[in-house]
Structure formats: structure tokens, C-alpha cells
């Protein structure tokens, strides 16, 4: 199959891909299964990770009651910031190291799940330097010495898909930027996805997480094909960012269809359970996709935004300035990005625009970048998110610094379908000021 994928010869490239996903349980009310599921994973004393906003929520109560009914002992850790950072991980690592736990249940958004994953790494295998387990060039690329604890991940937002990935995205405070800790050991064993959790989310949170899900799916579907990456001799070294592949295509395609049909409804009407349930399912599908593909320029350029943001807040988030939520930091550059990448994979961009319900009347694959960009802009405007970099506090003078920051995301940039250098990144940022 590999040699036919993307009609690409694979004489010198990878001819094999690996898929890793957790056992997934999805449905309204399924948080009540937390005790049975944790018990099934062999847990007896559980570290429950959550955040201060969910500490008194009905969702956490449901999970704690279920653990108790299953006869499990639980202790709660909630000292997690809304954007997971190394300080939250250090506190969580202490909690793991001293708590005598045999399992972890995380209840929250991406920050909570990502903190839980990394806290196990540093709690069980302390490291002299926090960056030791991160990939070069930022980190030392050291192997995590052994297994982590079993992890049952319970997402409460419809965006990150972290419950289905081997990744932890963390802000490194002294570098003021985010980097990805990726390792197959970080994959949760089970995910418990209860869309009831989305019913009370503010519209802007649904919009931000929805655009995160959209970009996960879109970046997967348009990523460089796995057949174009170098073959690895040692299968244990096959990278998580392995490029587009037939499995991820399936999940990304369905996730794009869900966004195309339900995004506007889900953001603009909290009572539209069908739409919000679908977005929750779409987020998990997109997580299953990008966890086995990697993202590309959308996410790479978002890290420049969150690194250099200043004096900006976002409606719907109780976080002081500067703060741009992850999904918005990604989507503000997305229309400019897909206008740029389309020429390298026009058919893929055209198909993606169709899945998102773009108006393709009279259009052909040569118009795919514009059609896709227009549809993303339409969704941005109908859901009230910032209309480009200008509205999150950036101007043309910021472009060189944004590009310099983003250039550190080496592997994600290389996962773009189109060869991309620093000047290209500057041009994309310059085109993403407003739409
Ligand atoms: Fe993301």
C-alpha cells in the first residue's frame, strides 16, 4: 500500500507506519464508568488531576463518586494553570513522587491531561534538567527509563484530543514558549469521553477548541506523506510525527466533516446538544489522527504567537493578560497557511475544503487554497474569533520576531507538504494580519 499512497514512489522513503490509540469509551454520562474503568486498569490508589476551575464541578464529583463506589482510594491534584507549564508539571511530579499511587485519572482540558502525562514522567524518573526528555535541538533527547502509571483520561473540552495522543504540550516559562514532549509512553491507556461536559462551556471556549480540532484535522490531512520521510532502521525510533497516512486520513476526514456541519451551531447555541456532542467526537477523532501524523505549519506558527503575545486577553477565559487560547493562536494564521501550502498538495486541499462544506461551485483543485482559506475565514467570522494577527495584538513590525521564534519548531515545519524556510514563514505571518 505504501507505494501507492499519494502516488508516491517509496524507494528511498518510509514504507511502514505505526498507529497508536487508547481504548476509547464515548457517550453522554459515561464519566460514571470512571471507577469501573480505573479498577479494570489495576488501579487501587488513584492520583486525580484536574484544574481549579473544575475542582467543585459536577464532572469531577461524578468521577470521584464513581472511584469511591469501585472501592478505590483517590487524592486530587488541582494546581494546574490554564496553559500547562513546567511549573505545574513540577508540582504534579512531587504529587506523584510522594503519593504512592498506582494509577492516574485526569479530568479536564488539554492542560490537565498534558500536565498529568508529564508529571508522571518527572515524578517517576526525575531529571536534572527539565528539557532532558524533549527532542533536540531544544532538549537532550534522553529516553524515558521505564513505563508510566496507567492513565484514564477524561476530557472536558472538545478540542485538544490529548486523551488520544502520546504528546504533552508544555509552556517552558524561562523560554516563554511552548514545546512538545512526545513519547509513546505518554499515550493514555483509556479515554472516557463524556460530551455532557461541553454543555456549560462558554461560546469562545467552544470556538477556540473547535478551531484547534479543525486545524489538527486539516494539518493531518495535508501533511507531508509518511512515504516522503526517511525510512527508520530501528522501529522503536519511528517518529510520532510520521506524516500523513491512511489511518489518520480516515479520522481527519470525518473530523473535518463534523466541523463543517456543526461548528457554528455548537459555538452559538449551548443548548444544541447534537452539535456539541458531535464536536466532542470530532475532537477525539482529530486527536487520533494528529497523534499519529503530527501537525505542521498551523501549530508551528501558533507557538510564535504564544511566545510573543503581549497585552491581550480573550473573552470567555478568566485568565489575565497576556493570553491567547491555543486554538485561536493556531487559527489566526491558518487561512494564510493553507493558501501557501495548497500548491504542494492541491487535491488534498480541495477535498478538505469540500469536507468543510466550502462553496466549490465552478472551482477546481487549482483554486483549492483560496476555497479552503475562504471557508476557514467564514467560520472564524461566524463564530466571532479574532480575524487575524492584528486582533491578537500583532502588527507587521512583529513579523521577523514571530518567524524567528517559530523556526525552532523544526520537525513540525518539515511536516508541511511544501518546503518552508524562514522567509516563507515571514511571508505567511505578513499575510495573516487580517482577512
Ligand atoms: Fe492543538
Amino acid at each position: 500500500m505504501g507505494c501507492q499512497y499519494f502516488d508516491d514512489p517509496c524507494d528511498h522513503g518510509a514504507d511502514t507506519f505505526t498507529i497508536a490509540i487508547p481504548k476509547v469509551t464515548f457517550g453522554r454520562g459515561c464519566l460514571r464508568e470512571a471507577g469501573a474503568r480505573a479498577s479494570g486498569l489495576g488501579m487501587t490508589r488513584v492520583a486525580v488531576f484536574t484544574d481549579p476551575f473544575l475542582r467543585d464541578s459536577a464532572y469531577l464529583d461524578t468521577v470521584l463518586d464513581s472511584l469511591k463506589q469501585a472501592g478505590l482510594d483517590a487524592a486530587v491534584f488541582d494546581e494546574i494553570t490554564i496553559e500547562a507549564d513546567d511549573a505545574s508539571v513540577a508540582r504534579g511530579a512531587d504529587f506523584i513522587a510522594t503519593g504512592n499511587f498506582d494509577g492516574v485519572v485526569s479530568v479536564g482540558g488539554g492542560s490537565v491531561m498534558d500536565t498529568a502525562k508529564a508529571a508522571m514522567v518527572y515524578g517517576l524518573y526525575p531529571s536534572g534538567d527539565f528539557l532532558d526528555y524533549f527532542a533536540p535541538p531544544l532538549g537532550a533527547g534522553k529516553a524515558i527509563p521505564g513505563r508510566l502509571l496507567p492513565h484514564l483520561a477524561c476530557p472536558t473540552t472538545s478540542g485538544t484530543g490529548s486523551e488520544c495522543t502520546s504528546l504533552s504540550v508544555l509552556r517552558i516559562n524561562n523560554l516563554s514558549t511552548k514545546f512538545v514532549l512526545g513519547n509513546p509512553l505518554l499515550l493514555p491507556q483509556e479515554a472516557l469521553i463524556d460530551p455532557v461536559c461541553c454543555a456549560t462551556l462558554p461560546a469562545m471556549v467552544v470556538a477556540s477548541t473547535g478551531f484547534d480540532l479543525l486545524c489538527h484535522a486539516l494539518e493531518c490531512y495535508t501533511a507531508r506523506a509518511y512515504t516522503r520521510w526517511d525510512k527508520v532502521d530501528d522501529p522503536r525510533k519511528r517518529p510520532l510525527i510520521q506524516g500523513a497516512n491512511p489511518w489518520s486520513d480516515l479520522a481527519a476526514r470525518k473530523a473535518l466533516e463534523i466541523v463543517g456541519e456543526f461548528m457554528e451551531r455548537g459555538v452559538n447555541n449551548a443548548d444544541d446538544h447534537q452539535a456539541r456532542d458531535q464536536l466532542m467526537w470530532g475532537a477525539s477523532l482529530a486527536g487520533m489522527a494528529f497523534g499519529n501524523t503530527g501537525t505542521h505549519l498551523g501549530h508551528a506558527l501558533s507557538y510564535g504567537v504564544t511566545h510573543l503575545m503581549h497585552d491581550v486577553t480573550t473573552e470567555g477565559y478568566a485568565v489575565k493578560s497576556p493570553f491567547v487560547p491555543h486554538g485561536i493562536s493556531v487559527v489566526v494564521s491558518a487561512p494564510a497557511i493553507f493558501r501557501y501550502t495548497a500548491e504542494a498538495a492541491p487535491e488534498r486541499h480541495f477535498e478538505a475544503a469540500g469536507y468543510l462544506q466550502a462553496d466549490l461551485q465552478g472551482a477546481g483543485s487549482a483554486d483549492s487554497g483560496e476555497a479552503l482559506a475562504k471557508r476557514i475565514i467564514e467560520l472564524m467570522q461566524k463564530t466571532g474569533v479574532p480575524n487575524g494577527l492584528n486582533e491578537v495584538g500583532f502588527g507587521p513590525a512583529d513579523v521577523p520576531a514571530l518567524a524567528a521564534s517559530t523556526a525552532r519548531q523544526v520537525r513540525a515545519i518539515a511536516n508541511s507538504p511544501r518546503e518552508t524556510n524562514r522567509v516563507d514563514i515571514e511571508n505567511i505571518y505578513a499575510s495573516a494580519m487580517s482577512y
Side-chain angles (χ1 to χ4, degrees):
M1 176 165 59
C3 291
Q4 280 76 50
Y5 189 64
F6 271 14
D7 297 324
D8 232 26
C10 56
D11 299 350
H12 305 291
D15 54 8
T16 305
F17 59 93
T18 297
I19 299 304
I21 56 171
K23 180 191 277 189
V24 169
T25 300
F26 181 94
R28 295 177 74 79
C30 74
L31 280 184
R32 289 192 294 265
E33 297 185 16
R37 303 244 151 236
S39 182
L41 287 166
M43 300 186 201
T44 59
R45 177 164 163 73
V46 183
V48 178
F49 278 68
T50 192
D51 66 31
F53 303 101
L54 289 163
R55 187 68 177 83
D56 298 318
S57 69
Y59 316 131
L60 185 68
D61 284 349
T62 300
V63 169
L64 293 176
D65 285 348
S66 180
L67 293 173
K68 192 172 174 187
Q69 280 169 22
L72 308 186
D73 185 19
V76 176
F77 173 81
D78 68 357
E79 298 168 46
I80 296 175
T81 51
I82 201 158
E83 292 270 281
D85 64 0
D86 48 355
S88 299
V89 171
R91 292 189 291 268
D94 282 346
F95 183 72
I96 291 287
T98 57
N100 196 28
F101 299 110
D102 56 15
V104 166
V105 175
S106 55
V107 183
S111 297
V112 170
M113 294 183 277
D114 287 356
T115 303
K117 292 172 184 177
M120 281 192 275
V121 174
Y122 293 96
L124 298 172
Y125 309 107
S127 157
D129 187 326
F130 190 77
L131 296 175
D132 278 351
Y133 297 127
F134 284 70
L138 178 79
K142 282 191 184 169
I144 298 171
R147 288 185 175 281
L148 307 183
L149 302 176
H151 181 186
L152 172 64
C154 310
T156 59
T157 62
S158 48
T160 71
S162 178
E163 69 279 7
C164 293
T165 77
S166 310
L167 309 169
S168 170
V169 184
L170 299 171
R171 184 172 178 85
I172 310 294
N173 285 324
N174 67 354
L175 299 174
S176 306
T177 191
K178 291 202 269 190
F179 280 97
V180 178
L181 177 63
N183 191 298
L185 293 165
L186 266 56
L187 185 71
Q189 279 63 43
E190 290 205 34
L192 199 47
I193 306 164
D194 186 342
V196 168
C197 298
C198 291
T200 54
L201 292 176
M204 192 51 66
V205 176
V206 179
S208 175
T209 53
F211 282 116
D212 190 22
L213 127 65
L214 186 162
C215 290
H216 289 156
L218 207 41
E219 289 172 55
C220 281
Y221 200 67
T222 57
R224 179 178 175 178
Y226 78 95
T227 47
R228 295 186 186 179
W229 284 101
D230 289 340
K231 198 169 191 155
V232 289
D233 293 329
D234 180 350
R236 292 168 301 180
K237 292 190 175 160
R238 183 165 297 127
L240 291 170
I241 298 180
Q242 66 182 344
N245 60 74
W247 156 262
S248 296
D249 289 350
L250 288 174
R253 194 177 291 147
K254 185 62 194 173
L256 289 170
E257 287 176 348
I258 287 172
V259 171
E261 186 168 358
F262 296 107
M263 178 83 155
E264 268 181 75
R265 283 173 47 185
V267 171
N268 294 324
N269 185 356
D271 295 328
D272 191 335
H273 295 315
Q274 184 196 16
R276 290 202 170 191
D277 289 11
Q278 286 283 342
L279 290 173
M280 191 74 159
W281 178 232
S284 295
L285 286 175
M288 294 179 213
F290 91 86
N292 293 293
T293 300
T295 50
H296 64 79
L297 296 181
H299 277 67
L301 269 69
S302 81
Y303 294 132
V305 171
T306 48
H307 178 197
L308 298 168
M309 62 190 174
H310 46 83
D311 198 20
V312 56
T313 53
T314 301
E315 169 202 330
Y317 287 83
V319 185
K320 60 184 185 200
S321 176
F323 177 69
V324 178
H326 172 66
I328 289 175
S329 75
V330 178
V331 80
V332 284
S333 304
I337 289 168
F338 292 104
R339 279 180 176 134
Y340 166 79
T341 52
E343 75 167 43
E347 306 286 343
R348 287 254 152 180
H349 287 66
F350 191 74
E351 289 167 15
Y355 299 140
L356 284 171
Q357 300 191 356
D359 179 4
L360 295 175
Q361 259 202 334
S365 61
D367 314 305
S368 62
E370 192 50 40
L372 187 51
K374 264 192 184 160
R375 179 58 175 147
I376 298 169
I377 294 165
E378 182 181 39
L379 287 170
M380 290 166 75
Q381 292 174 345
K382 288 191 168 169
T383 53
V385 304
N387 186 36
L389 288 167
N390 280 342
E391 290 193 8
V392 291
F394 292 97
D398 297 308
V399 164
L402 285 165
S405 175
T406 287
R408 293 184 287 185
Q409 308 291 337
V410 178
R411 183 87 185 179
I413 292 169
N415 207 26
S416 160
R418 183 171 169 185
E419 197 102 355
T420 306
N421 62 29
R422 177 86 70 95
V423 175
D424 298 324
I425 294 171
E426 287 184 356
N427 290 336
I428 293 169
Y429 275 131
S431 313
M433 290 296 158
S434 65
Y435 301 105

